[in-house]
Structure formats: C-alpha cells, structure tokens
Amino acid sequence: GENVEQHPSTLSVQEGDSAVIKCTYSDSASNYFPWYKQELGKGPQLIIDIRSNVGEKKDQRIAVTLNKTAKHFSLHITETQPEDSAVYFCAASRGNGGFKTIFGAGTRLFVKA
Amino acid sequence: SQTIHQWPATLVQPVGSPLSLECTVEGTSNPNLYWYRQAAGRGLQLLFYSVGIGQISSEVPQNLSASRPQDRQFILSSKKLLLSDSGFYLCAWNPPGMGSDTQYFGPGTRLTVL
C-alpha cells in the first residue's frame, strides 16, 4: 500500500540551531503535504502545508520544501527554541477530500536550552 | 470559527467493559469526520471516517465501531474492551469537497484498559 517514510525518528538540537525533518512518499498522485506539531498529551496541530504546484513555502521560522520528482519533502525549523520541542508528523494526500491522508511515523524533536 | 471537542479527556476502563467516546464539531456543516488511534510513542492509525450522517467507512477490522447520529457528532464505541485498545484516540475533521484536505484534530482522549 501507499506509505510515507519520515526521518529521523528522534532529533536533538541545541537552542538556536536549525532542525530538518525529511519525508518520502510513494503515491505519485499525492499533491497536498501538511506538517503537524503534537505537544505532549495534545492533538496534532497544523503548522504549515504545501501543495504540489509550489516548491517551497515559508512562515517565519518554519519552511517546507517539496521535490515532486524525487517524491520527498522536508520541514526546516530555524533558530530553534525550547518550545519547538514536540513530535512532528508529515503527511501526504491526493487532494480528494482527505480520506486517504497518509501520515509519517513522527519525529520527536528535542531542543536543548 | 470552527472548534472540535472530545470527551472524556481521560478514561480508565477494565477489560471487557463497554466504551463510548464522543466527538463534536462546531462552526461547520457536513464535515468529513475521522477517528484515529495513536499508541504510545507511535504514529496515527486511521480507524474510521465518515462523509455524512450514518455513513461510516472502516479502515481496520477490530474490536471497535463508529457511528454518526448527527451531522457534527461522531462516536467511537466498543462492546468489550481489550487490553490492546489502550491508546490515545483522536477525532479529526475537514471541510467537505475536493481540495479541502487539511484535517484538524481534537484534543484527544487517553484510554487505559486495565
């Protein structure tokens, strides 16, 4: 079946450094790629998303890049802060109403002060 | 604005007991609704989704069932809980129609089966 692979599973960075999380998807028909942040004991919250007609999108300290040819996309967090510590999930969808959104396994990010 | 609620927030149940988790969405009509389960330290497993009242699709055959008695209400149930049903249950919604893929998650219910 279709899947999304996410790496690394755990990432530890020093405050102020950058963090990069990478995802690879298998369904070539995917055209929508959201990223979620999940804090301990809470539901995932959408932090940024990108559609297949765009190669890069930025929102303050976070950015997402997409390479459709290689079928991979990445989340970049610059100037990390302790409050960025959380689990991050990538996902891929075909744009047909969200029924078959495939999520990655998650990356646990630790930002050390 | 739209909001999504889940209750209870936390639940401890004995093996073999029934289960009912509720999810409601406010501020939208005819949303697509989803139930996910998240095992400790793991990813999101889609359990059920619904595109309308009484319309339920099951993704994983198991001990659970779902119902949608009203447009913005989604219920997850079990007649007899198993130890393996423990986990963090998340409800999500997205607007109906093509191109509305973003799913918005509720706060979750932590279920512990003893």
Side-chain angles (χ1 to χ4, degrees), chain B residues 25 31-34 48-50 68 71-74 92-93:
Chain B
V25 181
N32 298 324
L33 296 171
Y34 307 82
F48 302 94
Y49 69 88
S50 171
R68 183 168 177 174
D71 181 45
R72 290 169 289 174
Q73 184 184 33
F74 205 21
W93 75 277

Side-chain angles (χ1 to χ4, degrees), chain A residues 38 87 89 104-106 108, chain B residues 37-45 88 90:
Chain A
Q38 185 178 28
V87 177
F89 291 98
R108 186 171 295 277
Chain B
R37 176 169 58 200
Q38 187 176 30
R42 304 295 294 274
L44 301 168
Q45 179 188 28
F88 193 47
L90 290 159

Side-chain angles (χ1 to χ4, degrees), chain A residues 31-32 36 38 41-46 49 51 89 93-101 103-105 108, chain B residues 32 34 36 38 41-44 46 49 51 59 88 90 94 97-103 105-107 110:
Chain A
N31 59 14
Y32 174 66
Y36 291 85
Q38 185 178 28
K42 298 183 179 180
Q45 298 296 307
L46 179 74
D49 56 10
R51 297 201 178 268
F89 291 98
S93 172
R94 287 187 172 187
N96 58 351
F99 307 140
K100 292 298 182 181
T101 297
F103 288 86
R108 186 171 295 277
Chain B
N32 298 324
Y34 307 82
Y36 290 87
Q38 187 176 30
R42 304 295 294 274
L44 301 168
L46 179 64
Y49 69 88
V51 301
E59 288 294 299
F88 193 47
L90 290 159
N94 71 316
M98 300 290 287
S100 302
D101 283 29
T102 306
Q103 292 189 18
F105 288 85
R110 172 81 54 198

Side-chain angles (χ1 to χ4, degrees), chain A residues 38-80:
Chain A
Q38 185 178 28
E39 297 178 341
L40 191 62
K42 298 183 179 180
Q45 298 296 307
L46 179 74
I47 55 171
I48 195 168
D49 56 10
I50 192 169
R51 297 201 178 268
S52 59
N53 58 346
V54 177
E56 183 174 359
K57 184 176 179 180
K58 188 174 181 181
D59 183 3
Q60 299 182 8
R61 294 187 299 108
I62 59 173
V64 58
T65 58
L66 171 65
N67 183 328
K68 282 215 74 178
T69 302
K71 291 194 286 188
H72 67 70
F73 56 113
S74 302
L75 177 71
H76 305 254
I77 306 174
T78 59
E79 301 173 17
T80 54

Side-chain angles (χ1 to χ4, degrees), chain B:
Chain B
S1 63
Q2 300 86 6
T3 55
I4 179 169
H5 304 278
Q6 286 186 247
W7 62 88
T10 307
L11 190 60
V12 181
Q13 292 284 95
V15 170
S17 64
L19 173 74
S20 181
L21 303 181
E22 190 167 343
C23 170
T24 59
V25 181
E26 296 178 353
T28 187
S29 296
N30 196 31
N32 298 324
L33 296 171
Y34 307 82
W35 278 113
Y36 290 87
R37 176 169 58 200
Q38 187 176 30
R42 304 295 294 274
L44 301 168
Q45 179 188 28
L46 179 64
L47 303 176
F48 302 94
Y49 69 88
S50 171
V51 301
I53 295 174
Q55 301 179 63
I56 310 294
S57 295
S58 174
E59 288 294 299
V60 182
Q62 55 200 316
N63 186 41
L64 302 170
S65 62
S67 61
R68 183 168 177 174
Q70 300 180 42
D71 181 45
R72 290 169 289 174
Q73 184 184 33
F74 205 21
I75 296 173
L76 184 69
S77 304
S78 175
K79 292 182 179 178
K80 288 186 176 182
L81 283 168
L82 306 172
L83 285 174
S84 57
D85 291 324
S86 292
F88 193 47
Y89 287 82
L90 290 159
C91 182
W93 75 277
N94 71 316
M98 300 290 287
S100 302
D101 283 29
T102 306
Q103 292 189 18
Y104 300 95
F105 288 85
T109 294
R110 172 81 54 198
L111 172 66
T112 303
V113 182
L114 301 174

